[in-house]
Amino acid sequence: ISVAVSSVTAFWRSVGHSHSGFATESFIDELANAAGKDPFEFRRRNIGDERWLGVLEAAADRKSTRLNS
């Protein structure tokens, strides 16, 4: 059955990608551990896109702010 709609009907909230994102990030942690590196620094050194680097650093700043409060 096909129904015409005026909006996008794809996943909006990352239903499938939530699981694959967790697996990817867990694997990056394992790679950092195997390399003897801090997971944050490992990600920081391997991000090629300045925008994603900004996101990573903003998340780290926010986390450290909450831990120090």
Side-chain angles (χ1 to χ4, degrees):
I1 298 174
S2 179
V3 178
V5 293
S6 61
S7 62
V8 178
T9 58
F11 292 118
W12 290 351
R13 296 188 183 238
S14 179
V15 175
H17 296 292
S18 298
H19 304 294
S20 61
F22 175 78
T24 300
E25 292 303 318
S26 296
F27 188 66
I28 291 172
D29 287 343
E30 291 181 25
L31 290 172
N33 186 44
K37 304 289 183 186
D38 173 70
F40 172 77
E41 289 301 325
F42 185 83
R43 283 176 175 81
R44 195 167 175 265
R45 291 178 186 220
N46 289 290
I47 290 178
D49 187 325
E50 291 294 320
R51 295 172 298 174
W52 285 114
L53 182 58
V55 170
L56 179 68
E57 290 177 347
D61 289 343
R62 186 170 179 144
K63 179 181 176 187
S64 65
T65 300
R66 289 185 177 196
L67 290 175
N68 294 328
S69 296

